[in-house]
């Protein structure tokens, strides 16, 4: 009873309540940093516009980042709670209050623990293949690093240092709590499977179902198609039934999502069925929105002018104009200070191992195509482009021995922080390209010049999600990630990209996720049918189902 009373008294301390509220509020902050996630929990008036039912997917877009933010905040909360409990168990309520001066270090350690866990990719959907043993070992390292932050902070503080008993109890408790949490995460990643049905009204819709195999996520299962009108599929598709029975089909087949093409949105009958599903909690969306949510990229094949117009209105203007610039100034100033020793060591190595200048100056295109002279540490031999502009490639013979090391760990890009401080670049954004390369790629890659609508960055979603580009195909893939970032940019996403950048630096580069390759004939057929006007669909109530 004494222990229970001391805990009750302790948790009613004003400062303690404030801190816990702040940590729990981290998840809500994630939602506010990503307005579309926040709207997942609030009602918006998208139902007033039938087309907005699918085109405005505020209900589900960025759900991935909400879950990442929630796991991040949960780990931080559990870590802090473990050390608070250790203090109570060791000293009781009265003594614990006298040690309350250490709570900032608990919070700092909790943030470090969650950040290192994110850097280790334990929140990623791609981590489903990492077993419990590997996760437990990674969590040990993360807990030790976070505990060292607490130890260092308490010894630097003038207050009484924490004893070994508290540190041991807190470390063990935080590790066990985090391990249980990550076992739950792993179970969800491996066992959650969402069944998807496609509404098919014509040949174009059927062609798009064949793209699903390439663009769909790992935890998605294609259940079949729901027919509307007199159209009969020509391919081998499982027919689930007719649109009139859509609600019953969803319940019978345990469908989690219903996909449709943009051409379906002009039909009021379909919109009525879709509204019923959304009010019942079933997601209805185009395939491009599913790719954004499940894989965090935007397939170029699925982009339309409507999507571009919708995407350009997504980013929050206040963040772009005010907060992002403040974020850039703070990060670049800190980065220049911390990176100065690395630049000095790299400059010395370049001077000793390769004749020529230390820095390399090159014209790059900024926002709206405005050109500026970008500064980098030289990583190639002098006159590397005497035969003209060419792609960097794997094991490029033009790269020096020291340059290869600098490129691998992104040290050659530290001088670009000066351009961020001056306003030529942002800390996070699409990679700045050379004007001649942009001109060439704009002819071969659709929508490539869209990336010029925002400030280029030292790091970005494409840079941490895809390795160095060495071909037009690589440029297409990286553009898909750039367009995703441009639509969903926010302060919170920028913070996660910075953490991903730390992982890239430590591991020596991003790795491309394997994606199924769609047959060229399927893409050509889909592109041809996309240009045709939508047919007037009349429901066929006598259609036989299989």
């Amino acid at each position: 009873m004494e222990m229970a009373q001391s805990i009750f008294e302790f948790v009613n301390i004003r400062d303690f309540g404030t801190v816990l509220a702040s940590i729990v509020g981290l998840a809500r902050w994630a939602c506010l940093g990503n307005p579309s996630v926040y709207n997942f929990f609030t009602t918006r008036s998208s139902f007033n516009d039938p087309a907005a039912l699918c085109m405005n997917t505020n209900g589900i877009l960025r759900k991935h980042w909400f879950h990442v933010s929630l796991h991040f905040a949960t780990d931080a909360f559990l870590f802090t709670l473990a050390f608070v409990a250790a203090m109570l168990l060791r000293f009781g309520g009265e003594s614990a209050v006298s040690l309350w001066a250490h709570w900032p270090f608990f919070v700092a350690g909790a943030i470090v623990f969650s950040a290192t866990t994110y850097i280790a990719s334990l929140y990623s959907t791609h981590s489903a293949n990492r077993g419990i043993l590997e996760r437990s070992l990674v969590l040990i390292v993360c807990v030790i690093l976070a505990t060292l932050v607490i130890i260092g902070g308490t010894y630097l503080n003038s207050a009484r240092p924490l004893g070994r008993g508290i540190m041991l109890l807190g470390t063990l408790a935080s590790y066990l709590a985090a391990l249980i949490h990550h076992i739950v995460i792993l179970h969800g990643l491996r066992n959650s499977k969402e069944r998807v049905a496609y509404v098919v009204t014509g040949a174009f819709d059927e062609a798009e179902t064949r793209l699903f195999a390439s663009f769909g996520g790992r935890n998605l299962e294609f259940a079949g198609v729901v027919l509307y009108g007199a159209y009969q599929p020509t391919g081998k598709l499982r027919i689930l039934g007719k649109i009139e029975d859509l609600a019953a089909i969803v319940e019978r087949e345990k469908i989690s999502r219903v996909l449709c093409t943009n051409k379906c949105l002009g039909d009021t009958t379909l919109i009525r069925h879709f509204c019923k599903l959304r009010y019942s909690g079933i997601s209805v969306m185009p395939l491009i929105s599913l790719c954004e949510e499940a894989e965090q990229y935007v397939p170029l094949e699925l982009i339309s002018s409507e999507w571009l117009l919708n995407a350009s209105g997504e980013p929050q203007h206040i963040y772009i104009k005010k907060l992002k610039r403040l974020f850039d100034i703070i990060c670049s100033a800190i980065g220049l200070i911390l990176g100065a020793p690395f630049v000095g060591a790299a400059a010395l190595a370049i001077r000793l191992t390769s004749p020529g200048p230390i820095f390399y100056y090159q014209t790059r295109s900024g926002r709206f195509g405005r050109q500026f002279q970008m500064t980098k540490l030289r990583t190639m031999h002098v006159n590397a482009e005497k035969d003209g502009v060419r792609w960097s490639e794997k094991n490029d013979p033009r790269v020096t021995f020291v340059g290869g090391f600098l490129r691998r760990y992104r040290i050659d890009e530290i001088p670009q922080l000066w351009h961020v401080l001056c306003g030529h670049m942002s800390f996070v954004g699409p990679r700045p390209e050379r004007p001649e390369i942009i001109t060439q790629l704009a002819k071969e890659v659709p929508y490539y010049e869209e990336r010029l609508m925002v400030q280029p960055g030292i790091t970005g979603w494409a840079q941490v999600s895809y390795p160095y580009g060495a071909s037009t195909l690589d440029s297409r893939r990286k553009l898909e990630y750039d367009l995703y970032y441009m639509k969903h940019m926010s302060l919170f996403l920028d913070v996660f990209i910075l953490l991903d950048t730390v992982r890239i630096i430590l591991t020596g580069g991003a790795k491309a996720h394997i994606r199924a390759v769609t047959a060229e004939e399927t893409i050509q057929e889909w592109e041809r049918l996309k240009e045709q006007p939508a047919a007037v669909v009349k429901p066929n109530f006598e259609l036989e189902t299989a």
Side-chain angles (χ1 to χ4, degrees):
M1 287 295 295
E2 270 185 30
M3 186 64 192
Q5 185 177 358
S6 64
I7 293 176
F8 179 79
E9 292 173 354
F10 187 65
V11 297
N12 276 278
I13 296 176
R14 180 179 177 183
D15 289 342
F16 178 62
T18 303
V19 174
L20 284 185
S22 300
I23 296 174
V24 175
L26 189 61
R28 186 173 182 271
W29 180 45
C31 298
L32 294 174
N34 290 281
S36 294
V37 180
Y38 179 70
N39 289 326
F40 177 71
F41 295 97
T42 58
T43 303
R44 294 207 38 187
S45 57
S46 59
F47 294 111
N48 296 334
D49 180 8
L53 175 68
C54 292
M55 294 301 294
N56 185 5
T57 51
N58 286 316
I60 29 77
L61 276 184
R62 286 182 259 184
K63 194 175 178 181
H64 164 81
W65 293 112
F66 169 75
H67 284 296
V68 170
S69 304
L70 186 62
H71 294 315
F72 188 102
T74 299
D75 273 340
F77 175 76
L78 292 174
F79 186 91
T80 305
L81 197 62
F83 275 88
V84 170
M87 292 173 62
L88 292 172
L89 289 172
R90 187 70 173 170
F91 296 109
E94 185 177 347
S95 299
V97 172
S98 65
L99 292 177
W100 188 240
H102 297 299
W103 72 260
F105 306 113
F106 292 163
V107 175
I111 294 174
V112 169
F113 173 67
S114 294
T116 52
T117 304
Y118 177 84
I119 292 171
S121 298
L122 293 190
Y123 301 137
S124 170
T125 55
H126 297 279
S127 66
N129 58 342
R130 304 174 71 175
I132 295 178
L133 178 60
E134 182 180 355
R135 284 175 177 266
S136 62
L137 295 176
V138 172
L139 286 174
I140 288 175
V141 176
C142 295
V143 169
I144 290 175
L145 290 174
T147 304
L148 290 176
V149 170
I150 296 178
I151 293 174
T154 55
Y155 273 93
L156 290 175
N157 191 25
S158 58
R160 175 185 170 186
L162 292 173
R164 287 173 294 180
I166 292 179
M167 298 307 300
L168 180 61
L169 286 174
T171 301
L172 290 176
S174 61
Y175 173 72
L176 291 176
L179 183 60
I180 294 173
H181 177 215
H182 282 268
I183 290 175
V184 174
I185 294 176
L186 182 61
H187 180 269
L189 289 175
R190 289 185 172 179
N191 296 284
S192 62
K193 204 76 172 178
E194 295 191 8
R195 288 171 59 79
V196 175
Y198 240 106
V199 174
V200 172
T201 65
F204 173 74
D205 299 349
E206 183 181 357
E208 188 167 295
T209 63
R210 291 195 284 272
L211 297 177
F212 177 83
S214 297
F215 302 139
R218 293 165 302 284
N219 295 329
L220 299 171
E221 178 184 350
F222 183 49
V225 299
V226 178
L227 298 182
Y228 177 56
Y231 179 77
Q232 286 289 343
T234 57
K236 296 181 179 179
L237 294 174
R238 180 174 178 239
I239 300 176
L240 303 178
K242 299 178 295 186
I243 193 68
E244 292 75 26
D245 303 320
L246 182 57
I249 292 171
V250 166
E251 183 176 358
R252 183 188 74 226
E253 299 288 337
K254 295 180 172 56
I255 302 297
S256 302
R257 303 171 189 266
V258 174
L259 299 182
C260 66
T261 62
N262 292 332
K263 290 189 176 184
C264 294
L265 300 179
D267 190 289
T268 55
T269 302
L270 286 177
I271 291 297
R272 188 163 58 252
H273 287 290
F274 294 160
C275 283
K276 290 180 180 179
L277 288 182
R278 272 199 73 174
Y279 281 118
S280 301
I282 303 299
S283 300
V284 181
M285 66 182 74
L287 179 57
I288 189 172
S289 298
L290 180 64
C291 294
E292 291 180 61
E293 180 191 338
E295 296 296 319
Q296 295 81 58
Y297 73 91
V298 183
L300 293 184
E301 294 86 350
L302 299 178
I303 292 178
S304 63
S305 56
E306 291 85 1
W307 185 91
L308 285 174
L309 185 61
N310 183 53
S312 64
E314 278 288 323
Q316 300 302 296
H317 297 294
I318 294 179
Y319 170 67
I320 295 174
K321 293 180 179 179
K322 306 293 183 182
L323 292 181
K324 189 170 177 63
R325 181 58 188 150
L326 178 63
F327 179 84
D328 289 340
I329 293 174
I330 294 174
C331 290
S332 59
I334 295 174
L336 284 171
I337 296 172
L338 298 180
F342 297 97
V343 173
L348 180 62
I350 293 171
R351 175 64 71 189
L352 295 176
T353 59
S354 175
I358 294 175
F359 293 101
Y360 177 66
Y361 303 94
Q362 194 175 67
T363 301
R364 297 292 176 101
S365 293
R367 190 181 185 192
F368 302 136
R370 288 192 289 262
Q371 298 180 7
F372 66 97
Q373 289 292 113
M374 191 178 73
T375 306
K376 297 180 67 175
L377 290 168
R378 184 172 59 85
T379 58
M380 291 187 176
H381 296 288
V382 178
N383 298 324
E385 292 187 337
K386 60 183 179 180
D387 298 326
V389 178
R390 50 181 283 200
W391 292 100
S392 297
E393 56 191 41
K394 189 176 181 180
N395 301 322
D396 197 322
R398 300 172 299 168
V399 177
T400 64
F401 175 76
V402 171
F405 177 84
L406 298 181
R407 280 173 166 246
R408 181 178 179 84
Y409 294 101
R410 303 296 197 272
I411 300 175
D412 62 317
E413 298 184 0
I414 294 178
Q416 295 179 44
L417 291 170
W418 175 252
H419 297 292
V420 176
L421 200 59
C422 294
H424 301 142
M425 297 174 60
S426 178
F427 207 95
V428 179
R431 183 177 183 269
E433 279 293 357
R434 302 171 66 174
E436 52 267 35
I437 291 181
I438 292 176
T439 302
Q440 173 190 344
L441 290 175
K443 298 176 182 177
E444 304 177 33
V445 181
Y447 312 112
Y448 192 79
E449 291 182 321
E450 287 293 321
R451 64 200 302 279
L452 296 176
M453 297 299 104
V454 297
Q455 205 88 312
I458 296 178
T459 186
W461 186 235
Q463 292 93 307
V464 300
S465 302
Y466 201 88
Y468 266 123
S471 65
T472 302
L473 178 60
D474 289 338
S475 297
R476 287 179 62 96
R477 292 290 173 258
K478 299 194 82 165
L479 178 61
E480 293 175 338
Y481 291 102
D482 281 333
L483 292 175
Y484 174 86
Y485 171 77
M486 290 169 63
K487 180 178 179 180
H488 300 281
M489 66 169 65
S490 68
L491 177 62
F492 215 76
L493 181 55
D494 280 5
V495 171
F496 279 132
I497 290 175
L498 291 182
L499 294 177
D500 279 316
T501 304
V502 175
R503 172 176 51 82
I504 295 303
I505 293 173
L506 295 177
T507 58
K511 297 175 178 59
H513 299 300
I514 298 175
R515 188 200 303 181
V517 179
T518 306
E520 188 65 26
E521 298 80 15
T522 300
I523 295 179
Q524 291 177 356
E525 179 192 7
W526 186 84
E527 291 284 353
R528 177 180 59 82
L529 293 171
K530 183 172 70 171
E531 300 302 324
Q532 296 180 2
V536 179
V537 181
K538 295 181 179 180
N540 180 6
F541 297 100
E542 298 179 357
L543 183 64
E544 185 178 353
T545 61

